Amino acid sequence: MAAPDAQLRAAVESALGEVRARIEAAGRSPDDVQIVAVTKGFGPDAVVAALGAGLATVGENYAQELLTKASVAPEGVRWHFLGPVQRNKVKALHPHVALWHGVDREAAGREIIKHAPAAPVLVQVNLSGDPARPGVSWGDAPALVDALRTIGLDVRGLMGVAGLDGARQQFSRLARLARDVEVEGLSMGMSGDFEIAVSEGATIVRIGTALFGARPGATQVRR
Ligand SMILES: *Cc1c(COP(=O)(O)O)cnc(C)c1O
């Protein structure tokens, strides 16, 4: 019988093949869409399996989880931080983070730039408008993009998590906003809605359960 790590890697490879096929079926070349392997809730073995399957970009939502996994992960992982940026966590996180997806206020950007000049960031927009969810409002997003550029961050794009209803309309609105504020990057789409997201122009999808199965912990995405 194969070792558990080889089994996990084979499972992730096969799941990745399926995700790529679904991206293609949704009308996009899988080579044009970056897949971030979201390993939150799983152990470091999931990171190793992702890397083995060819997914070197790994996303985490929680600072401590990222730091713990980064301390044991093999070389070559590019970490994306997906969670809201808590200012007291930036100092520890920044040496590891290749892209911050969750910048939704200027204070977070100022904290990042204090440690990482010209760091690449995405501005998270609150797609559903639910005040309990992270993200800058639609109306305030353009000014935030400007403010972050002004202080010297490299604003690569926009990020959003769709609400339960109306994902297509929300993703297409985010794509329009990206054109308006002249950014290329569009991080949108998760396991449940990535086909809609890629058909609306996503350049980055963030995929957890479709690659690794259901998360063992209670870290389901709040919608
Ligand atoms: C957990 C999470 C994901 C991955 O969710 P799945 O549904 O498991 O693919 C993507 N983006 C964010 C912001 C998340 O919190």
Side-chain angles (χ1 to χ4, degrees):
M1 216 173 99
D5 53 345
Q7 282 183 11
L8 181 57
R9 187 177 98 180
V12 173
E13 269 170 5
S14 138
L16 174 60
E18 206 149 296
V19 167
R20 288 173 62 90
R22 285 167 63 185
I23 290 173
E24 187 137 38
R28 292 284 300 283
S29 163
D31 295 331
D32 294 342
V33 180
Q34 181 179 27
I35 297 171
V36 177
V38 180
T39 50
K40 69 162 184 252
F42 292 97
D45 51 335
V47 177
V48 173
L51 198 61
L55 289 168
T57 305
V58 173
E60 287 285 341
N61 287 58
Y62 302 102
Q64 194 50 54
E65 228 185 304
L66 188 155
L67 292 171
T68 303
K69 286 175 207 171
S71 71
V72 296
E75 302 248 325
V77 176
R78 285 174 55 82
W79 299 94
H80 283 197
F81 191 67
L82 309 180
V85 179
Q86 293 175 275
R87 285 161 67 196
N88 62 348
K89 301 285 166 55
V90 171
K91 188 173 180 206
L93 280 175
H94 85 86
H96 304 285
V97 174
L99 183 63
W100 304 83
H101 285 235
V103 178
D104 65 359
R105 66 201 67 196
E106 188 176 339
R110 286 192 180 277
E111 189 65 27
I112 292 171
I113 206 159
K114 206 157 94 187
H115 301 283
V121 300
L122 304 178
V123 167
Q124 182 171 1
V125 178
N126 185 343
L127 302 190
S128 66
D130 174 349
R133 315 243 330 250
V136 65
S137 69
W138 289 104
D140 291 341
L144 179 58
V145 169
D146 276 349
L148 296 172
R149 281 175 172 151
T150 301
I151 64 173
L153 286 168
D154 178 7
V155 181
R156 294 273 174 89
L158 305 179
M159 179 273 215
V161 176
L164 269 183
D165 298 314
R168 182 172 299 281
Q169 185 261 338
Q170 291 170 17
F171 289 151
S172 101
R173 187 173 176 191
L174 194 65
R176 247 179 295 133
L177 180 60
R179 282 193 294 276
D180 289 347
V181 300
E182 298 179 335
V183 292
E184 307 259 303
L186 261 182
S187 168
M188 57 188 198
M190 316 192 303
S191 296
D193 55 19
F194 70 87
E195 287 135 307
I196 302 172
V198 299
S199 76
E200 295 295 338
T203 64
I204 303 176
V205 292
R206 308 174 310 268
I207 310 284
T209 37
L211 290 170
F212 303 106
R215 278 181 279 283
T219 53
Q220 301 300 322
V221 184
R222 285 201 0 241
R223 290 203 170 233

